[in-house]
Amino acid sequence: MAIRVYSEWYTFRIMKKYILALDQGTTSSRAIVFDQEGTIQSVAQKEFQQIFPKPGWVEHDPNDIWASQAGVAAEAISKIGINGKYLSAIGITNQRETTLVWDRETSQPVYNAIVWQDRRTSSYCDELKAQGLAETIKQKTGLFIDAYFSASKIKWILDNVEGARTKAEQGKLAFGTVDTWLTWKLTNGKVHVTDVTNASRTMIFNIHTLSWDKELLKIFNIPENMLPEVRSCSEVYGETGTTLFASKVPIAGIAGDQQAALFGQACFEPGMIKNTYGTGCFIVANIGTKPVMTKDLLTTIGWKIGNETIYAVEGSIFIGGAIIQWLRDGLGLFTSSAEVEKLAQRVEDSDGVYLVPALSGLGAPHWDPYARGMMIGLTRGTTKAHISRAALDAITFDVKSITDCILEETGIQFKELRVDGGASVNNMLMQLQADVMDRIVVRPKITETTALGAAYLAGLAVGYWNNVNEIQKYWQEDKRFTPGIGREKQQKQYRTWQRAVERSKGWANEE
C-alpha cells in the first residue's frame, strides 16, 4: 500500500511543470526552481573565483561563470527528481554592467569579464566629463558618466587586448553582459541577444528610442557589429542546445538583477517602490511608461513586455548590510550579524552617536567618491549597543535619503516600501525604516525576488502564467511595519545625521 501511495505521489509530482530561474551574481551563481504558485521547490548555489589583478580592478573568468551556472542548473532540477522535459521555460537574471567580449567562431573570451565594481576606466570617464559630454550621455541613457557602466569597459578591452579592435571591426567579436553570455552558451552560439534592462546599463543605449545610439558608439569608438540584438524582457529568445538538458527548453525571460527584483516584488503600478537590503541597498521605483530625467538618480528601464516599456528611477547605496559585517569583522563588536538586533535593543537610542557608512564613498543622492566613513558623537558612556543602534539607524537614514530624493525629483507619492534581501529579516531595522520614512514597510513571504522576477518573465512568455494580474495574486505579505510612536524621534535624528554626512564629504580629496 505504501509503495502505491508513493508511486502515485511521484507520478503527480513529475507531471507538474516548473520554471527554472538562473540567478548569476557577483560572487556566486544560483539556480532556483519555482512552481506555478511562485513557490521555491529547489535551490542550488556555487561560488566562483574573484580576480583582482591590480588595486581597483575586478575580473571574473567567463568560463567560470558559465561552468558554475550550468552546474547549479543541473543540480537544482536533479534535487527534485526532474529533467528538462518538465521545465516550461528558463529565466535569466544577472549582475549588471559586467562586460564580456568573445570570439564569435570559437566562443572563447578574448579577456576576462570586467566586473561592474572595476574602476580601471575612471580616468577615461573623467576625460569624458571634461569634454562636456555628461549632459548628452545623461539625456540619452539616464546614467551618469562612470566606470561602473559597460561602455568604457568595452573600449578598454578593444584598446588593450592585442588584435581585439581589428577583429571587432571585422565582425569577429561579440560583446555581451552576463545575460548575453549565458544565452550564447545555452544555445551553442546561435543566439546573441540582450534585454532592454541590461542594455540600459551599458551607457551606449538610448532609453528613448530603445536602440543602440550611434553618437555614443562613436564617442566610445565601439563597432556596432559586436553588439547583441536588444529584445524585450519576456519572449522566447531561443532553446537550449547544450547537453545540459535531455530536451530543449525555451529561454524566455531576461532582466538585470534589480529590475528583476522590482518585477518579483509585483511593483506593477507607477509609484510602487522596492528596496533590496544586501551588501548595499538598491531602491528602485516604477515611474510608468515615460522616462523622467532626475538630477541625482539614475533613470533606467524597469522592464518591457510586448510593446509596453516600463521605466524606473534607481538610487544605489554602496554600503548597506556591509556596515554590519564591518562591525562584526572589522571591529569585532559581535560574532554573528544576527546579534546586532539584540545589541541595539538594549538601548533606547544611539545616545547621540551617528555613523556615516561611506566606506566606499557615497552613492546616490550625493555621488561623492571622496567621502569616507565617520562615527561621531562618542562619549565615555558609548557602548557597542549604541554603535550597533547607530549602524541600524544609518541604514534606514540612507534609504530615506533616496526615497526623499525620489519624492522630490519625480513627484511620486508612495504609500509603502516593499523590501527584500538578507537584512530585511531584521524586524527592528524594518520598524526603524517605517518610522523614519513615515511610510509602511512590507516584507513578502518569498524574499528571493530577483530569481522570482526572472521566473515570472519567462513564464509569462510561454503561457505558464497568463498575465501580471495572475502573478500579483501569488505575491504574499509576510509582515507589515507601520510607523509607530518612535517616528518623530527618528525623523529628528535623521536631520542630525544629515549634518554628519556633510562632514564626511570630500574627506579623501587631496585638494
Side-chain angles (χ1 to χ4, degrees):
M1 184 64 178
I3 293 174
R4 181 181 176 185
V5 170
Y6 174 79
S7 177
E8 289 174 352
W9 171 86
Y10 182 75
T11 301
F12 169 75
R13 183 176 180 84
I14 66 171
M15 285 177 63
K16 289 179 68 177
K17 287 271 195 171
Y18 303 91
I19 301 290
L20 175 64
L22 305 182
D23 184 356
Q24 205 299 302
T26 308
T27 59
S28 69
S29 295
R30 309 177 73 215
I32 303 181
V33 178
F34 292 95
D35 67 13
Q36 202 144 16
E37 285 71 48
T39 303
I40 294 173
Q41 297 297 305
S42 175
V43 180
Q45 180 172 350
K46 181 174 177 148
E47 294 185 356
F48 56 88
Q49 183 183 13
Q50 307 293 301
I51 304 169
F52 307 103
K54 295 181 182 180
W57 292 29
V58 189
E59 298 178 359
H60 294 156
D61 182 336
N63 291 317
D64 279 352
I65 292 175
W66 164 242
S68 61
Q69 192 66 77
V72 293
E75 181 183 348
I77 65 170
S78 67
K79 277 184 176 181
I80 56 172
I82 63 170
N83 56 35
K85 187 164 56 173
Y86 299 98
L87 294 176
S88 289
I90 294 172
I92 297 172
T93 185
N94 56 285
Q95 53 167 314
R96 303 173 301 175
E97 298 94 19
T98 295
T99 298
L100 302 91
V101 175
W102 62 93
D103 187 294
R104 290 182 180 275
E105 184 177 344
T106 66
S107 294
Q108 286 302 307
V110 301
Y111 190 77
N112 279 338
I114 302 180
V115 179
W116 60 272
Q117 300 161 316
D118 190 282
R119 306 303 299 175
R120 75 185 66 186
T121 60
S122 292
S123 59
Y124 170 68
C125 290
D126 289 341
E127 292 174 14
L128 294 178
K129 294 174 190 175
Q131 293 171 27
L133 292 169
E135 188 61 23
T136 296
I137 289 174
K138 184 75 159 61
Q139 289 301 316
K140 286 173 177 282
T141 69
L143 308 176
F144 297 101
I145 296 177
D146 198 273
Y148 178 26
F149 305 109
S150 307
S152 62
K153 302 179 195 301
I154 302 170
K155 184 179 188 303
W156 187 94
I157 291 174
L158 295 182
D159 289 344
N160 290 276
V161 175
E162 186 177 354
R165 181 165 294 282
T166 299
K167 292 184 75 172
E169 291 170 350
Q170 294 172 347
K172 295 180 179 180
L173 297 186
F175 153 74
T177 41
V178 171
D179 58 299
T180 304
W181 172 244
L182 293 179
T183 305
W184 177 277
K185 296 294 285 185
L186 284 165
T187 61
N188 281 340
K190 293 181 180 178
V191 177
H192 185 212
V193 300
T194 190
D195 82 296
V196 289
T197 69
N198 279 292
S200 73
R201 312 295 293 195
T202 60
M203 214 158 65
I204 49 175
F205 184 76
N206 191 311
I207 62 172
H208 307 280
T209 63
L210 301 184
S211 61
W212 301 114
D213 191 281
K214 293 186 183 299
E215 181 184 2
L216 298 181
L217 290 174
K218 185 176 181 180
I219 289 170
F220 288 97
N221 196 17
I222 296 172
E224 189 171 3
N225 61 26
M226 67 186 299
L227 305 179
E229 179 184 0
V230 182
R231 307 272 282 274
S232 77
C233 301
S234 182
E235 62 179 278
V236 176
Y237 313 103
E239 295 179 324
T240 56
T242 70
T243 57
L244 188 58
F245 305 114
S247 53
K248 294 184 177 181
V249 183
I251 304 163
I254 299 175
D257 52 9
Q258 299 308 319
Q259 289 97 328
L262 186 70
F263 199 82
Q265 282 277 31
C267 291
F268 300 140
E269 299 297 326
M272 297 184 75
I273 301 181
K274 73 89 191 174
N275 179 35
T276 299
Y277 294 84
T279 299
C281 289
F282 297 88
I283 303 95
V284 186
N286 180 332
I287 58 172
T289 56
K290 294 182 179 179
V292 176
M293 291 296 136
T294 63
K295 175 175 172 285
D296 299 308
L297 302 167
L298 304 178
T299 302
T300 192
I301 296 177
W303 61 79
K304 182 185 179 187
I305 299 176
N307 294 320
E308 183 179 65
T309 301
I310 298 298
Y311 291 88
V313 291
E314 178 177 328
S316 303
I317 297 167
F318 300 148
I319 300 293
I323 196 65
I324 307 301
Q325 295 171 333
W326 175 70
L327 293 179
R328 182 194 66 196
D329 302 333
L331 297 189
L333 295 191
F334 38 79
T335 56
S336 71
S337 296
E339 292 179 52
V340 72
E341 185 172 8
K342 294 178 182 178
L343 272 172
Q345 286 173 338
R346 293 181 186 175
V347 293
E348 289 187 11
D349 54 44
S350 66
D351 195 27
V353 176
Y354 292 90
L355 200 161
V356 181
L359 307 186
S360 300
L362 288 170
H366 310 285
W367 299 106
D368 184 354
Y370 302 108
R372 289 296 179 265
M374 183 177 72
M375 198 182 303
I376 196 167
L378 301 175
T379 69
R380 286 287 297 270
T382 299
T383 68
K384 61 182 180 181
H386 293 117
I387 295 172
S388 296
R389 173 60 187 267
L392 295 185
D393 285 340
I395 294 171
T396 68
F397 294 160
D398 253 335
V399 173
K400 176 177 167 57
S401 70
I402 300 293
T403 56
D404 281 357
C405 189
I406 290 172
L407 178 66
E408 180 182 342
E409 297 191 12
T410 69
I412 286 175
Q413 299 288 340
F414 70 100
K415 296 178 181 178
E416 65 181 31
L417 177 70
R418 294 191 172 185
V419 299
D420 53 69
S424 69
V425 301
N426 186 319
N427 289 332
M428 183 179 186
L429 178 66
M430 295 301 99
Q431 185 59 56
L432 292 172
Q433 189 70 77
D435 289 344
V436 74
M437 291 194 310
D438 201 17
R439 296 287 196 280
I440 294 168
V441 170
V442 183
R443 183 175 63 209
K445 286 188 175 179
I446 297 177
T447 56
E448 295 288 356
T449 54
T450 301
L452 183 58
Y456 281 154
L457 290 165
L460 285 170
V462 297
Y464 190 79
W465 293 290
N466 294 316
N467 49 50
V468 294
N469 292 329
E470 180 183 353
I471 288 172
Q472 200 155 15
K473 293 189 303 183
Y474 298 130
W475 186 92
Q476 294 183 22
E477 180 181 310
D478 172 51
K479 191 171 177 63
R480 178 173 292 250
F481 301 86
T482 304
I485 58 174
R487 61 185 177 183
E488 289 185 11
K489 187 176 185 179
Q490 279 297 105
Q491 289 160 21
K492 182 179 179 181
Q493 290 176 329
Y494 171 68
R495 291 190 290 273
T496 305
W497 177 81
Q498 288 179 300
R499 289 169 49 206
V501 170
E502 289 304 312
R503 295 187 183 190
S504 77
K505 289 183 177 179
W507 186 263
N509 193 333
E510 293 181 358
E511 299 178 359

